Amino acid sequence: MDTEALVRRAIVLADRARAGGNHPFGALLAAPDGTVVLEAGNTVGTTHDVTGHAETNLVSAATRRFSRDELRTLTLVTSCEPCAMCSGAIYWSWIGAVVYGLSEEGLLALTGDDPENPTLALPCRTVLGAGQRDIRVEGPLLEDEAAASHRDFWRS
């Protein structure tokens, strides 16, 4: 699986979300061979639903489409480290692994005190590591590329 290519695809999805009037976050679900099986972007701006993060949108669609056994084999790839809410959704979905671009710490440096993204200082490894099953986490990867989607977006 070419994880960098997948992170770059998630960044494209983040740029697409931003162009559509949403926060710049994108996520995808990849099969073990790297085939993208599902994609999602952030929809917070257009739906006015604060839970419309790219990862929660993806998890919602994935759990309707795939069995638990299938989900265990899939990797969620996202442009930014999943927040605590998204990490919880990933945990409950039974998705087997997470790969992310920009770290939560890096995102905070870009968003500052923007009320649209009150970033929690809670790494996804902490949230996912508190559960009863192992979820592989890889990241940050390509942080500079992932950060580009956020430049000049947040009020910071």
Side-chain angles (χ1 to χ4, degrees):
M1 179 182 310
D2 184 349
T3 54
E4 287 190 357
L6 292 170
V7 169
R8 285 188 174 106
R9 177 64 190 160
I11 293 167
V12 167
L13 296 170
D15 292 339
R16 187 180 296 161
R18 179 178 176 164
N22 292 290
H23 296 169
F25 300 95
L28 60 86
L29 208 53
D33 67 358
T35 302
V36 176
V37 297
L38 205 56
E39 296 181 333
N42 182 288
T43 57
V44 170
T46 53
T47 63
H48 306 289
D49 177 355
V50 298
T51 67
H53 292 196
E55 299 89 344
T56 54
N57 288 337
L58 187 70
V59 165
S60 181
T63 56
R64 288 191 305 268
R65 181 171 172 185
F66 300 104
S67 71
R68 183 180 289 180
D69 288 339
E70 290 170 314
L71 289 164
R72 287 180 177 149
T73 70
L74 301 176
T75 299
L76 186 147
V77 181
T78 181
S79 60
C80 289
E81 182 173 0
C83 71
M85 174 184 71
C86 292
S87 295
I90 293 164
Y91 175 79
W92 288 109
S93 75
W94 289 88
I95 289 170
V98 173
V99 175
Y100 66 89
L102 182 63
S103 68
E104 191 78 0
E105 184 177 299
L107 179 62
L108 177 59
L110 293 169
T111 62
D113 65 353
D114 191 311
E116 287 293 311
N117 195 45
T119 303
L120 295 170
L122 187 58
C124 71
R125 283 179 175 87
T126 301
V127 176
L128 296 171
Q132 296 180 24
R133 65 183 188 89
D134 290 330
I135 300 173
R136 183 180 60 81
V137 178
E138 183 179 348
L141 298 172
L142 307 172
E143 281 199 282
D144 289 339
E145 291 180 44
S149 302
H150 297 269
R151 292 203 178 91
D152 302 321
F153 182 84
W154 306 101
R155 184 179 60 140
S156 62

